[in-house]
Amino acid sequence: MFSHPAFELVRDERIADVDSQALLYRHKKTGAEVLSLVNSDENKVFGVTFKTPPTDSTGIAHILEHSVLCGSRKYPVKKPFVELIKGSLNTFLNAMTFPDKTAYPVASQNLKDFYNLVDVYLDAVFFPLLTEDTFHQEGWHYELEDAKAPLVYKGVVFNEMKGVFSSPDAVMRDLSQRSLYPDVTYGKSSGGDPKAIPDLTFEQFKRFHEKFYHPSNTRAFFSGDDDPAQRLDILDAYFSQFERAEVDAEVGLQPRFNAPRQLHGTYAGTKDADKPRDGMISVNWMIDPPADREEALSHGLLSYLLAGNPAAPLRKALTESGLGEGMTGGGIGSGLRQPMASFGMKGIDPTNAPKVETLILDTLAEIAERGFPSEQLEAAINTFEFSLRENNTGSYPRGMTYMFTALATWLHGGDPLAPLHFETALAALKDKAQGGHFEGEIRRLFLDNTHRTTVTLEADPEQGAREAAAEADKLAQVRAGMDEAAIAATISETEKLKRLQETADDPADLAKIPTLTLGDLDREIRKVPVETGEIGGARLFYHDLPTLGIVYLDLGFDLHVLPDELLPYLPLFGRALLQTGTSKEDFVALTQRIGRSTGGINQHRGLSAMQGSAETAAWFFLSGKAVADKVEEMLAIMGDVLLDARLDNRERFRQMALEEKAGFEARLVPSGNAIVDTRLKAGLTQAGALSERMGGISYLQFLRQLVGRIDSDWAGVQQVLETIRDTLFNRQHMVVNVTTDGALWNQARGEIGAFTERLPAVEQPLQQWPGPLAARSEGLVIPAQVNYVGKGANLKALGFEVSAAASVALKYLNTTYLWDKVRVQGGAYGGSSRFDLTSGNFSFLSYRDPNLLKTVDVYDGAAKALAAGVGENDLTRSIIGVIGDMDGYQFPDAKGYGSMWRQLTGTTDAIRQQRRDEVLNASSKDFAELAEAVAAVASHGHVVVLGGEAAITAANAQRPGLLDVSKVL
């Protein structure tokens, strides 16, 4: 269909399942392979992927992934990646290192912008500058500031992986994978083990790129509505500069074990003699590569059947056993050539690990013998089918899911088109399901599979100090081996790297980075159609949008009818609605009913400051989606959930509370910056305080107390839950939000109206809630090798009224000063600032940060950086980047929900247009105004740090009284 003289067309196939024409090419000169999907998706996607199997745990592929984006032949600047973040309309821009591959995907709705992104990425991967300074900055280096200072390790990936391995869940995942694949690349830590990263040399790093980043080892991918012929022209311009090479990038097959194996490990954590539940266990299997799409889909369905929701039999058995606080693992993954399957528990007494292992194996055997109920099979298959047909990937570009789906086979020499088909495979599995197929798979994949490991993990209170001492000893030995000349050379290298990091790029080189102009931007906001009115006594929002035959429904209830003291119960109350069953059916039957008849029903809360008011928009939502002929049943289920949930189910509620607590504790390290941000803003606005009490450290403390109260005062807890239900679910303070096309709305409107009228209608007084919590600077201690450092204030409370143009200044600040000072020079994985126009909240945040006070000082210097002004090119790029953020790609359900939420918070289209105008007209004057406000944050803001005890103690020693210290974990 689309021929090109430089490419051989290998396959040309229409794939109705993804509504695309699939064209598979091979570059004649180099052998590079290209999968080109031609479809109507305006969110265009490109990706280039290389097989990059590591042979050790130095993180070589990961460091290279960072480094190629630090300047290239055509774009010789220090951070072209950041320039694209600053000044493009991208809907996705990142790079990822996997155990066996490295991928570089981009996406944009704007064609010119898309081609810019593609060109910068292609030049980056094939012609990176890869200087030794870049290797030191992104990977690791010795840092020595003067002859009397201690020798330390620095490097972005080095500190990133210290943060990763501060998470017990990450330690367990790493150990489990390595346990199954000791003889092949999957037995290495592809991200890098901090103990091994300093073994990597620059020469090894360079050779790795030369070997693997070659067109002969390339799988390139396009998807979207751009010109298919132009795609090939772009690729040939790069590929044709190389000769064909033989690249040995084979991912070898792990030989099978003859018998299961046991491993035990530890993580840096605390122990409590009264509560010895610091252990984790994971039972893992290696699975043979799936033979075809049917088997791959079967793996996913089997995993869902066993553990995909709280009612799934294996998950239910583990949860109800009382042996732990939450399940880990979720079944069979799809990211490795020989897939890995895992099931386990966290929050166990380590002495009970054998009991958990036995329970997992016995439950699998029982299911294989007894079989899955037909209702569960029907629900699981409908859930999968709905998801496949809806193909709603949220904020993730749809084309990227196609790329990674294809790579599952393509990477290892298989057919990349086969995984994109699902109709035939799904139909075959439907036919086989009732005939014992999945029960047979349990036996084959798990019970009869001797390639199994059981990994147990427990806390070691001394491990963190021991590892720090070992690192210090290693560095001391290096330092002792240095003569005066070597010390002077290390100091000189440290100074040289810092000078390089602080030196601005040549403006002429920066100008080479392709960018749009302001004239390429839409001046008008993107409006979402909305019809407002009343339905069944509730407030109605309807959005006429094409939804592929699906009705999306959000039922919202104003939380202001609830007294303040009930609010922390809401997260668990929401879970209880869907996970305790009703008077007519237990929660297993309810879960199956939801799966059989809908595309899912979920609950969440919305919290935000109100536009032009000190009030808070606070809502509880129950949301569902279904095809037209299932809307009535979806409404029946939602009615049962709202009015008839079994809130008296103490055992189930206790299990959920333990899961919620364990899940929160597991998020402390990977989501530390978000937790710090929530804590900061609790002292700034009422909405911030509510977010903290329902999702921050205060909520964790509440959960810990609640677990005890469930046993000591269940009657009191149950009364609270029933009071929330009786008070909250009331159409007098309710909104109904519907997103679907006009024809489906005409069918569903009567059903939704009749449903709403059946809900209670009682006039409830709106409650007055307290304002923000007391703002104070805090050090929140967790067992971690890195910190998450925040500082913030409310600009409105400090007397500043800034416009939306401030977001342009922040885009610039985040991609220049903070990127350079916190990440590049400081070695943190990330540093940023955030500002909410509606509330006035402003915060600085760092992620996986080896520093603490240095980072606070960087924040306090931000005003000076802003006051220095901005050049015209940087101003234009920053405006473009903010418009890109405003115009992010959304599927219809997200458009409808977002439109409703703007209505509820008072953000009119007129306000949105005003803000867009302010962004488009931003000038250096806006930078100066924000600089003044940020200077006030330096003087009056408060600091919150989540991090290791040693770092927090040292900070207080250096600046006495800076942080109120409390132990979180």
Side-chain angles (χ1 to χ4, degrees):
M1 181 181 179
F2 299 101
S3 61
H4 191 284
F7 290 88
E8 173 193 356
L9 179 60
V10 180
R11 295 271 293 282
D12 180 355
E13 185 175 316
R14 179 70 189 170
I15 304 181
D17 299 2
V18 294
D19 194 22
S20 300
Q21 190 71 26
L23 302 151
L24 182 63
Y25 296 95
R26 183 178 295 109
H27 191 242
K28 294 176 181 177
K29 183 178 180 184
T30 64
E33 296 180 9
V34 181
L35 177 56
S36 180
L37 298 186
V38 184
N39 51 52
S40 60
D41 191 351
E42 64 177 342
N43 199 15
K44 293 162 273 289
V45 169
F46 166 75
V48 57
T49 301
F50 306 97
K51 289 171 75 170
T52 52
T55 57
D56 56 38
S57 295
T58 59
I60 188 168
H62 187 188
I63 296 169
L64 187 58
E65 173 232 303
H66 281 236
S67 300
V68 300
L69 296 170
C70 293
S72 65
R73 183 180 68 180
K74 197 171 177 182
Y75 306 111
V77 298
K78 291 185 294 184
K79 48 183 184 179
F81 173 72
V82 182
E83 293 300 321
L84 295 177
I85 293 174
K86 183 198 303 177
S88 81
L89 299 178
N90 75 83
T91 55
F92 193 92
L93 181 75
N94 212 331
M96 300 99 149
T97 303
F98 298 87
D100 52 15
K101 61 182 175 288
T102 309
Y104 296 85
V106 299
S108 180
Q109 299 171 83
N110 180 287
L111 183 62
K112 180 179 175 183
D113 186 58
F114 179 62
Y115 286 148
N116 290 346
L117 298 173
V118 171
D119 192 60
V120 173
Y121 261 46
L122 283 170
D123 203 65
V125 297
F126 289 119
F127 301 108
L129 298 181
L130 293 187
T131 66
E132 197 159 3
D133 291 317
T134 296
F135 170 71
H136 290 158
Q137 171 184 291
E138 298 299 320
W140 77 277
H141 65 278
Y142 294 121
E143 184 166 288
L144 188 62
E145 295 186 338
D146 59 61
K148 296 180 180 179
L151 186 70
V152 297
Y153 291 124
K154 279 291 183 73
V156 173
V157 169
F158 178 79
N159 286 313
E160 177 189 351
M161 297 312 296
K162 274 198 166 187
V164 168
F165 283 104
S166 293
S167 163
D169 290 62
V171 174
M172 175 58 90
R173 284 193 298 270
D174 179 72
L175 189 55
S176 293
Q177 180 178 309
R178 289 193 290 115
S179 74
L180 285 175
Y181 307 94
D183 305 312
V184 296
T185 191
Y186 298 142
K188 313 301 178 184
S189 296
S190 60
D193 183 337
K195 298 183 191 70
I197 288 172
D199 295 334
L200 181 64
T201 68
F202 177 63
E203 290 71 25
Q204 292 169 328
F205 168 79
K206 286 277 288 182
R207 286 198 299 271
F208 195 87
H209 178 267
E210 290 165 2
K211 177 177 181 179
F212 293 116
Y213 281 57
H214 189 283
S216 300
N217 186 40
T218 294
R219 285 146 183 85
F221 176 90
F222 278 95
S223 177
D225 62 0
D226 54 302
D227 179 6
Q230 182 71 7
R231 297 171 176 179
L232 301 180
D233 287 339
I234 291 169
L235 291 174
D236 181 54
Y238 279 93
F239 293 166
S240 62
Q241 297 180 59
F242 294 81
E243 300 298 325
R244 186 185 290 261
E246 293 299 322
V247 182
D248 181 10
E250 183 71 14
V251 177
L253 293 173
Q254 168 65 41
R256 286 199 150 274
F257 299 166
N258 294 322
R261 299 179 181 182
Q262 302 271 340
L263 285 90
H264 179 75
T266 58
Y267 65 91
T270 56
K271 276 189 175 292
D272 187 336
D274 297 327
K275 299 176 182 177
R277 291 194 162 203
D278 58 65
M280 302 175 71
I281 181 171
S282 182
V283 183
N284 317 292
W285 290 265
M286 186 184 78
I287 308 296
D288 288 335
D292 51 29
R293 178 59 166 146
E294 182 184 323
E295 187 174 354
L297 192 60
S298 175
H299 287 173
L301 263 167
L302 178 58
S303 301
Y304 185 79
L305 282 163
L306 289 170
N309 60 59
L314 181 55
R315 181 169 168 183
K316 183 171 180 286
L318 289 168
T319 303
E320 293 180 351
S321 70
L323 292 171
E325 296 181 346
M327 184 176 177
T328 63
I332 306 171
S334 60
L336 308 181
R337 184 178 184 187
Q338 293 165 289
M340 172 180 171
S342 296
F343 301 107
M345 289 200 86
K346 67 176 70 173
I348 69 167
D349 182 332
T351 62
N352 284 333
K355 293 181 181 178
V356 179
E357 179 187 33
T358 299
L359 178 60
I360 290 170
L361 297 175
D362 286 352
T363 303
L364 288 171
E366 183 182 338
I367 297 168
E369 180 64 29
R370 184 189 67 229
F372 290 105
S374 59
E375 296 86 356
Q376 188 189 0
L377 289 168
E378 183 185 352
I381 290 171
N382 180 73
T383 297
F384 258 62
E385 184 170 7
F386 193 106
S387 177
L388 288 166
R389 296 192 191 287
E390 181 191 24
N391 201 12
N392 187 330
T393 53
S395 60
Y396 200 67
R398 187 175 274 165
M400 278 183 59
T401 66
Y402 299 153
M403 182 179 86
F404 285 115
T405 298
L407 281 167
T409 51
W410 192 16
L411 191 75
H412 306 294
D415 178 5
L417 275 58
L420 299 175
H421 295 271
F422 66 82
E423 290 282 7
T424 302
L426 186 63
L429 287 174
K430 284 181 180 180
D431 290 340
K432 292 179 178 180
Q434 299 293 346
H437 167 76
F438 291 107
E439 292 80 359
E441 288 295 272
I442 291 174
R443 296 186 189 93
R444 182 176 74 88
L445 300 176
F446 302 125
L447 300 176
D448 299 336
N449 183 356
T450 57
H451 198 106
R452 184 179 87 226
T453 63
T454 299
V455 178
T456 55
L457 204 61
E458 64 179 300
D460 179 348
E462 308 302 323
Q463 183 166 323
R466 197 167 57 246
E467 289 177 345
E471 182 178 300
D473 288 347
K474 186 175 180 181
L475 286 164
Q477 291 174 21
V478 172
R479 175 69 182 263
M482 291 180 173
D483 56 20
E484 288 188 9
I487 290 172
T490 305
I491 293 171
S492 176
E493 283 295 317
T494 299
E495 292 172 346
K496 175 193 167 193
L497 183 59
K498 289 187 175 181
R499 280 196 308 273
L500 179 70
Q501 292 167 339
E502 292 171 354
T503 302
D505 284 310
D506 185 333
D509 288 334
L510 279 171
K512 295 174 183 177
I513 301 285
T515 186
L516 302 176
T517 68
L518 296 185
D520 293 318
L521 306 179
D522 293 333
R523 305 290 303 188
E524 303 296 318
I525 61 169
R526 298 181 179 184
K527 295 182 180 180
V528 176
V530 58
E531 171 191 318
T532 60
E534 180 270 344
I535 186 166
R539 192 174 169 192
L540 171 69
F541 303 105
Y542 164 61
H543 313 280
D544 186 355
L545 293 168
T547 56
L548 299 175
I550 298 169
V551 175
Y552 295 98
L553 174 65
D554 306 294
L555 305 178
F557 301 90
D558 193 341
L559 291 175
H560 284 88
V561 299
L562 297 177
D564 169 70
E565 65 271 14
L566 302 188
L567 298 178
Y569 291 87
L570 279 166
L572 275 171
F573 169 79
R575 285 187 62 176
L577 294 179
L578 293 164
Q579 295 182 27
T580 58
T582 69
S583 65
K584 298 188 290 289
E585 55 196 349
D586 63 20
F587 91 95
V588 174
L590 174 64
T591 304
Q592 292 171 359
R593 183 178 165 208
I594 292 170
R596 287 197 308 273
S597 301
T598 76
I601 295 175
N602 62 76
Q603 56 81 29
H604 72 281
R605 297 161 311 286
L607 294 169
S608 172
M610 293 284 290
Q611 186 67 38
S613 166
E615 297 298 313
T616 299
W619 293 80
F620 176 89
F621 291 100
L622 187 70
S623 302
K625 53 188 176 182
V627 294
D629 63 354
K630 296 291 186 180
V631 169
E632 185 175 6
E633 175 62 7
M634 177 177 73
L635 291 167
I637 296 170
M638 295 174 94
D640 289 345
V641 163
L642 291 171
L643 303 179
D644 193 31
R646 284 287 307 275
L647 300 179
D648 60 343
N649 191 338
R650 178 167 68 173
E651 289 307 310
R652 182 72 193 119
F653 195 78
R654 181 196 287 112
Q655 294 157 9
M656 289 189 298
L658 289 170
E659 283 181 341
E660 188 91 352
K661 181 181 80 71
F664 193 103
E665 290 170 347
R667 291 195 301 273
L668 283 170
V669 171
S671 303
N673 57 336
I675 289 166
V676 165
D677 197 34
T678 299
R679 188 73 167 184
L680 273 173
K681 291 171 181 174
L684 302 180
T685 60
Q686 183 187 75
L690 294 173
S691 294
E692 165 69 16
R693 292 176 62 209
M694 289 187 270
I697 297 297
S698 299
Y699 178 58
L700 175 60
Q701 294 164 343
F702 167 81
L703 285 172
R704 288 169 173 168
Q705 295 168 357
L706 181 63
V707 168
R709 280 192 58 215
I710 291 169
D711 290 326
S712 65
D713 181 26
W714 171 245
V717 174
Q718 181 183 335
Q719 182 59 52
V720 167
L721 299 176
E722 291 178 351
T723 298
I724 293 174
R725 174 170 62 190
D726 294 344
T727 308
L728 183 59
F729 298 142
N730 174 6
R731 57 190 162 102
Q732 296 287 79
H733 299 285
M734 176 184 177
V735 296
V736 175
N737 187 61
V738 182
T739 305
T740 193
D741 64 51
L744 290 179
W745 175 228
N746 290 333
Q747 294 178 45
R749 182 168 194 156
E751 295 171 338
I752 295 173
F755 164 81
T756 307
E757 288 176 351
R758 291 194 293 271
L759 294 177
V762 181
E763 189 58 47
Q764 296 279 8
L766 299 183
Q767 303 289 320
Q768 293 299 311
W769 296 334
L773 306 180
R776 61 195 178 108
S777 292
E778 297 182 274
L780 306 170
V781 175
I782 59 173
Q785 301 178 65
V786 292
N787 306 305
Y788 303 86
V789 183
K791 185 168 185 177
N794 186 276
L795 299 190
K796 291 184 178 181
L798 294 176
F800 296 94
E801 289 289 342
V802 298
S803 75
S807 58
V808 177
L810 287 190
K811 175 68 76 171
Y812 176 75
L813 186 71
N814 289 341
T815 54
T816 53
Y817 176 78
L818 289 175
W819 180 278
D820 292 339
K821 297 295 184 182
V822 178
R823 179 185 168 105
V824 174
Q825 295 170 35
Y829 187 68
S832 64
S833 58
R834 300 177 181 179
F835 176 60
D836 177 49
L837 266 173
T838 302
S839 67
N841 287 342
F842 182 97
S843 58
F844 290 107
L845 299 164
S846 70
Y847 188 70
R848 291 178 179 162
D849 191 345
N851 305 307
L852 198 163
L853 293 179
K854 283 184 179 180
T855 300
V856 174
D857 292 341
V858 168
Y859 298 159
D860 291 347
K864 184 178 179 181
L866 285 168
V870 60
E872 197 61 35
N873 286 340
D874 277 328
L875 176 62
T876 298
R877 287 182 187 272
S878 299
I879 291 171
I880 293 167
V882 172
I883 293 296
D885 295 338
M886 288 179 158
D887 292 347
Y889 186 79
Q890 290 184 311
F891 287 100
D893 61 321
K895 289 180 181 177
Y897 181 86
S899 172
M900 172 203 65
W901 189 243
R902 288 192 292 270
Q903 296 269 346
L904 295 179
T905 57
T907 309
T908 64
D909 281 349
I911 291 172
R912 293 175 62 218
Q913 186 62 55
Q914 176 188 336
R915 290 177 176 176
R916 191 179 188 89
D917 292 342
E918 289 169 351
V919 167
L920 289 167
N921 296 316
S923 68
S924 56
K925 176 174 172 288
D926 298 297
F927 282 62
E929 290 178 355
L930 186 64
E932 188 180 350
V934 171
V937 175
S939 302
H940 303 289
H942 63 288
V943 174
V944 174
V945 178
L946 182 73
E949 184 173 11
I952 290 173
T953 301
N956 265 352
Q958 191 170 341
R959 297 183 190 175
L962 174 65
L963 304 172
D964 292 340
V965 181
S966 60
K967 185 176 178 180
V968 174
L969 193 64

